[in-house]
Amino acid sequence: MRFLAAAAFAAITALAPFHAFAETGARAGGVVEIEADGRKSVMAAGGRVVVSGNVENNVRLAGGSISVSGSIGGDLAAAGGDVGVTEADIVGDVMIMSGDAALSADVGGDVQIIAADIDIAAEATVAGDVNLAGAAITMAAEVAGDFKADGAAVTLTGAVAGDADISSDYVFVNSAIAGDVKIVAEEIEIGPNAEIAGDLNYSATARAKISPQAEIEGDVNYTEVTPEELDTSVVEAIRPTLGGSIAFSAAFNLAVFVSGAALALLFPGLFAGVIEKGVGAPLMTGLIGFAVFLMAPLSAFLLMFTVVGTLLAVALLVGFLLLNILAFVATGFVVGHLILGRDGGGQPKILFFLLGLLVLLIVGLIPIAGGVLVFLAYLIGFGAIVRAFLAALRQGAPS
């Protein structure tokens, strides 16, 4: 889903007024480094994104590798391959979707992370709730609210002021928890430093290994389950988080949906050409999309080193970001038409768009392969919008 998020960030950036770019800190390219002191907000996308300094409001980032430090007066939203947040002070919420996520920051709001590997350091503090979904999860920070984690291996060593709810294959708890603890897992260990003020309720295939030094003030309730029942229990436990993941992704793309749908209504002739190019020749269209997707930021970067090329580089970046808006919309239309057919039986055009977005959203939740498939679909949409634009320029302005 990282590619959908990247498109969303680019789209929101492109909608910002041109004269506000310097104040907002909107950037895109292969390597993007922003010293954010004096910026009201920051939006950036690139292969490698580095943001430091003080930002008054929100920070929204997408890229292959993302590094954040400094203070943020609003929320931080980041989507990428690797996301690292170190020595940071964030007033609002933190939302991350990535392959690997590392957080060492003071967070004034909630933390929601979806990643393969999640590491929240002991130096971090969270004033709100924490909701994590991933494979390997290590939580060492203090949490003032509730803690919820769904993964393959979860280690909790940070104090939790609220309740803890964990679903995993393996769970290790070795911290102070002021509320109740609920665990669904195959193997459970309660360490010597564990202090649970409430009840410990757990479902597992065998009794938990509870250290004699662990302190549990409430009741300990064990429900024995078979491996088959455990699988069902884990699915039921993860379902709310999965729903949260979908809502999180949908929120990332809401601005793109609204702006893109409006553009599609304003230029119906253009999007008819997009559908024709994308559905009729997807392979060639995808290759064109891939070439433009790589060359446009690179060309803008090279132009910045010339005397007269700076303005051209900025104009090229603005055009590239605008294409990302249209490409995201185009991908939804193309996928929808591939499912319902090119003519669609006279169904409303918005139905194709909604269906395409829903399919991309669901496919993107599949680990690794889902991201690859979504990116390939996005390249087809990107190439389709480029081909449609070229055709429209040859024939006149788009209708």
Side-chain angles (χ1 to χ4, degrees), residues 292-310:
V292 176
F293 188 84
L294 288 181
M295 294 305 298
L298 179 60
S299 299
F301 177 75
L302 294 176
L303 283 171
M304 287 181 180
F305 290 94
T306 64
V307 177
V308 296
T310 303

Side-chain angles (χ1 to χ4, degrees), residues 357-393:
L357 288 182
L358 179 60
V359 170
L360 291 170
L361 187 65
I362 294 173
V363 170
L365 293 174
I366 302 172
I368 303 177
V372 174
L373 291 174
V374 169
F375 184 51
L376 293 176
Y378 178 74
L379 290 179
I380 295 174
F382 198 92
I385 204 69
V386 170
R387 293 186 64 196
F389 259 125
L390 294 176
L393 288 175

Side-chain angles (χ1 to χ4, degrees), residues 206-230:
R207 289 190 176 273
K209 299 176 182 177
I210 302 177
S211 170
Q213 288 77 37
E215 298 181 7
I216 303 175
E217 297 182 13
D219 297 331
V220 177
N221 301 307
Y222 165 54
T223 301
E224 183 177 2
V225 294
T226 66
E228 292 76 16
E229 291 173 332
L230 179 64

Side-chain angles (χ1 to χ4, degrees), residues 138-294:
T138 301
M139 178 66 184
E142 293 187 3
V143 181
D146 296 332
F147 174 76
K148 180 175 176 58
D150 301 307
V154 177
T155 298
L156 174 60
T157 57
V160 178
D163 298 330
D165 187 347
I166 305 172
S167 300
S168 180
D169 292 334
Y170 170 77
V171 175
F172 177 65
V173 176
N174 196 31
S175 64
I177 301 173
D180 296 330
V181 177
K182 177 184 176 182
I183 301 175
V184 178
E186 182 174 345
E187 182 180 358
I188 301 171
E189 288 189 53
I190 308 297
N193 296 324
E195 298 178 4
I196 301 174
D199 297 336
L200 170 59
N201 303 301
Y202 70 96
S203 300
T205 56
R207 289 190 176 273
K209 299 176 182 177
I210 302 177
S211 170
Q213 288 77 37
E215 298 181 7
I216 303 175
E217 297 182 13
D219 297 331
V220 177
N221 301 307
Y222 165 54
T223 301
E224 183 177 2
V225 294
T226 66
E228 292 76 16
E229 291 173 332
L230 179 64
D231 291 339
T232 303
S233 299
V234 170
V235 169
E236 293 298 325
I238 291 177
R239 187 171 293 166
T241 298
L242 182 59
S245 303
I246 296 174
F248 177 49
S249 300
F252 263 105
N253 297 295
L254 179 61
V256 181
F257 169 75
V258 174
S259 58
L263 289 168
L265 291 174
L266 289 172
F267 303 105
L270 174 63
F271 279 90
V274 166
I275 295 167
E276 178 184 353
K277 306 297 184 186
V279 177
L283 179 58
M284 182 178 69
T285 302
L287 290 174
I288 293 174
F290 181 70
V292 176
F293 188 84
L294 288 181

Side-chain angles (χ1 to χ4, degrees), residues 317-369:
L317 283 176
V318 171
F320 175 71
L321 296 175
L322 181 59
L323 278 178
N324 273 278
I325 302 176
L326 300 175
F328 185 82
V329 179
T331 304
F333 273 111
V334 170
V335 172
H337 275 274
L338 287 172
I339 296 172
L340 295 179
R342 185 174 296 190
D343 57 6
Q347 297 291 334
K349 294 296 183 184
I350 194 66
L351 177 63
F352 297 93
F353 188 30
L354 290 173
L355 178 62
L357 288 182
L358 179 60
V359 170
L360 291 170
L361 187 65
I362 294 173
V363 170
L365 293 174
I366 302 172
I368 303 177

